[in-house]
Structure formats: structure tokens, C-alpha cells
Amino acid sequence: MKRYHLILPAIAILITAAFGATGCSKRATRVAQGNKEQILHLGNYAEPADLDPQSVSGVPEFRILKVLFEGLVMADPKDLHPVPGVAERWEMSSDGLVYTFYLRANANWSDGEPVTAEDFVQSFERILNPALAAPYADMLYVLAGAEDYNTGKLKDFSMVGAVALAPKTLKLTLRTPTPYFPLMLNHHAWFPSPMRTIDKFGSRYRKGNRWTRPGNIVSNGPFLLKHWKVHDEIVVVKNEKYWDAAKVRLKEIHFYPIESSDVEERAFRAGQLHVSYLIPSSKLDSYRAAQPSNLRLEPYYANAYYAINVDPKKQTNPALLDVRVRRALAMTIDRESIVKNVIRAGQIPAYSFVPPGPAGYEARNRVIYDPEGARRLLAEAGFAGGSSVPKITILINTLELHRSVAEAVQQMWKKELGIDVEIVNQEWKVYLAAQNNLDYQISRAAWTADYVDPSTFFDLMRARTGNNNTGYSNPAFEKRVSDSLSAPDAPARAGMLQEAEDMLMADLPVIPVYFNTRSYLIQPSVKGWYSNFLDDHSLKEVYLDDDSAPADTPPPSNAY
């Protein structure tokens, strides 16, 4: 069932602020006031599961973590190339295996203590410790010995390739040369965490440790957590102890976990949000025609797909364990219709899992749209006409667009295959838990690249990784992905990855639907905000120009 009551506090505040002022004087909107005071107001999809860099995996969490914490390396906001973060510089050995990072002398925690190389070593031990069961532990498998430590084969962390040579010097040793390694370090899995603070509030290996709450948290990024009212608002304020504080112009950022695209768009239109990431598809044409300067439709290195639970011990619908049934389902999704008639924001129909991207990779094995062939496959599997297939449930998280897409797929599978489908809606945290526990049959899913390289999509589907929530395991697939790291050149590596994706598309634990674009609304007063393939914006460089925008945003001609 829909859980809109969970976001009513935020909705009430925004709507009241937008429309509640009456009488002789007109109250300034949040945007107008924020422009004067350098306070940025952002929509943020959903209530974050936590603000612990080592224990979360979603985009709503990542956006906030990026302002609270900083890793060794950051991404340039224009083209995403690696730039210095906590590390002012680094060196790589001639064989590409050893990186030495030199930390800034003035890089401090928000409590005034210095950020040290040992802080990074202990944070890496924490995320790799099996007791934490961190979803992104596998991202650190590039370190020598990391996978063995995370899987329990290695008990001594000093054997892992992370060593503090001095208080401000960190040496990282890789298991194999990894050309994109510096790009990975901008991800929150590599951020440092303050162990002395975490230990005050419980075990460092327990998820849900209250060290991340206001008043408890210590961080090292450009902003500090001031206020967190669940399902309402998260407020961060400028961190004066940040090494680059002089460059930070925003005084505060307010994040709103609004899970309704209609509500968020109304809040933006009423001048209560500077940036809205949720746009009802029905409003896109209005903004294109009446307010094109507010609408952004940008390339995005991300996919959207349906994950299928292929674990025989967890899957409650035995028909889905037959690859012929999975392929029949994949062959009866009219992706062209979905992107043109349902989403309508420039998405690309996806007939493979890994999107084409700036690294030049392109899949060669594709799922085709062939309802007649799908019906033959279903009959071969013993389910002619589809009526004998047990009802399939599709799990989605709360968002109108996800329901609209699922309803379109529901109709396609009923029309072409005779299969009944039920759509189950859950709010973000519950949805994540269901995926993690494989407590679903088919689930709406999406993956945004963690860095600009196709390996981020392949790693997602490796067994034992914390974000592979399908139960899929194919040793041949994994070997090909691993072998690609040692490829002699880029074309050879692309060929190995194509072979790996061939195997994935033969097994079909996932059904590709579309490759995403980033569609959002932004006020003209927001400056220093650049388009890039990961939608990764350095908010330390964003500021608000009070002279560039009217106090209120007029609605599109047919917005109501």
C-alpha cells in the first residue's frame, strides 16, 4: 500500500509555506529567502536509510553523504576527472599496483582532530569486516587481500593492502592494476569514518549505530549535520573547520524526502525548492514549452531494470526459476512504448544490461521484442497460454513513475502471455530490506554508475557482492570480468566484458527496461551546478545568485 502519510510533515510544511500566506503582505518563498541567505532547498527522493558511509547504498543517502564527508579523491564537477580531496596529491608505482596518498596537513574532523591515514585504514577495515555486512564491501576488493578478509579467509587485516606509513601518508596496494582506481575513490565506500566517535555509541560493526544522529556525528566534509527530522527534513550547515571552507558559499542545505512527484513539482513551482528531482511525466511538455530554462534533461550513466529472484531457496514463484519464462517476460516488454508514452523524458530503450557510456563500451547481445517467440518459449516451459503460471508480484518503491511503468508491464504480460501480475508498493527503507533479503519475486531496480567505467555494472552482478540482490551466481561470468582487468588494451578489455554480458543476458537474472536520463527542475538562481554523466554535483562549489531569479516561479501554462 502507499505510505504517503510518512511524508506528510514535509508536504505540510512546503505546501503551507507556499500557499498559506494571506492578507495584505505576501510572504517570501523559501527560494527567494534562500537566495538572500545562501540556503539551498533540495528535493531528495526518499528518507535516507542512514548516514553511515560504510553501511548504505542508495542515491538519497549518497547526496547527503557527499556534503558531510570527503574521501581521498573527489570528482571534478564538470567532467568527473579525479581531483584532490583529503589527499592533496598522490603517486602511482610504475607497475600500477601501489598508490601513495599524501593527506592535507589542514584536513580535520569537525571536532578539530586531524584526519589521518590511520582513520582511512580503520574505515577500510570496518567496511570489509564480515560482521558489518556492508553492501559496498566488494568495491574495496581492488585492494590486495580485501576480498579474502571480507569473506573470512584472511583474519589478519594487516595483510590487506592498506597501510598508514605516517600520520598523513597512506599506501594502498592493489591486487591487479586498475586504471580507473582513482575514479572509485570519490564513492562513499572509501570515505573515512571517525572510529572514536562510532565506538562511543556501540559496536563499530553494527548497522544502525546512533553515531550518525545530530549531536553525535563527527564528519570531515564541507557541511555538518544540524537537524534530522525523519520523513520531514535534513539540514546541514557550513563546516568552518573544513580545509577548504573559504571556498564554500552556501550557509545551509535543506534536503526534503518527498516521495511524490506531484507534490515535489508543486513545491518547486511555488518557489519552495531550488531543485526538484521528481517531475510528473504529464508536466514535461508544459515545462518544455513554457519554462525550458527550468527543465534539465541530461545524459545519465544509469539503467533501469527488473531484478528477478533466482535463488531457489528464496523464490516463491517456481516458474521464474526457468530461464525460458524469464526470457519470455523480457521479450514481451515494449520498451519503445514505455519510454515514449509512459516516461517521456528522453530515456533510451534498453535491450542489454550495461548502458553505452563515455568509456566507449557497447553491448553486443540484446534482448529482442518478440511476443510470438515469447509465447513459444512459454509453451516449451510447460506454461502454454500463461494461465498456469502462478501470479507474479512486482515489488516497487513509492513513486508514481515506478507504478506507471509497472502497470504498463503488467498489461503487456497479461495481453501477450496471459500472465497475471500484482504490483506491491513499499516505502524506501522497507523496499531496500526486501531486496536485501530476497523477499520478492520480481523487483523494480536501477543502478547508477559509481564511477565512469562499465565495470561498475558488471560488479553489481557478481556473487557475494552486497548489492547483487538477485541471488545470481555464474563463475564463468565472474572470471571473465576479473580477467578484463588484465587485458592488454582497451579493445581487448571491451571484448572480454562483452563476453561476460553475453553470459548475463543468456541467464537473465535481470530484465533491462531502459537506460536513464536525468530529468529535473532547477531554479535559475542556482549557480556552479554542472551537468555530468553521474549527476554528481559538488555542492561546496554551488551558490545562489539573488539577482538572477524572480521571487516566485510562474507555473507552466497547463500546470494545473
Side-chain angles (χ1 to χ4, degrees), residues 485-508:
L485 292 174
S486 303
D489 52 41
R493 179 172 182 249
M496 292 180 181
L497 292 178
Q498 286 175 329
E499 291 176 19
E501 189 166 8
D502 288 348
M503 299 177 201
L504 182 68
M505 298 310 295
D507 295 334
L508 278 182

Side-chain angles (χ1 to χ4, degrees), residues 284-298:
L284 286 170
D285 289 342
S286 298
Y287 277 97
R288 284 187 179 105
Q291 291 177 241
S293 62
N294 289 126
L295 178 64
R296 300 283 181 88
L297 300 174
E298 299 172 346

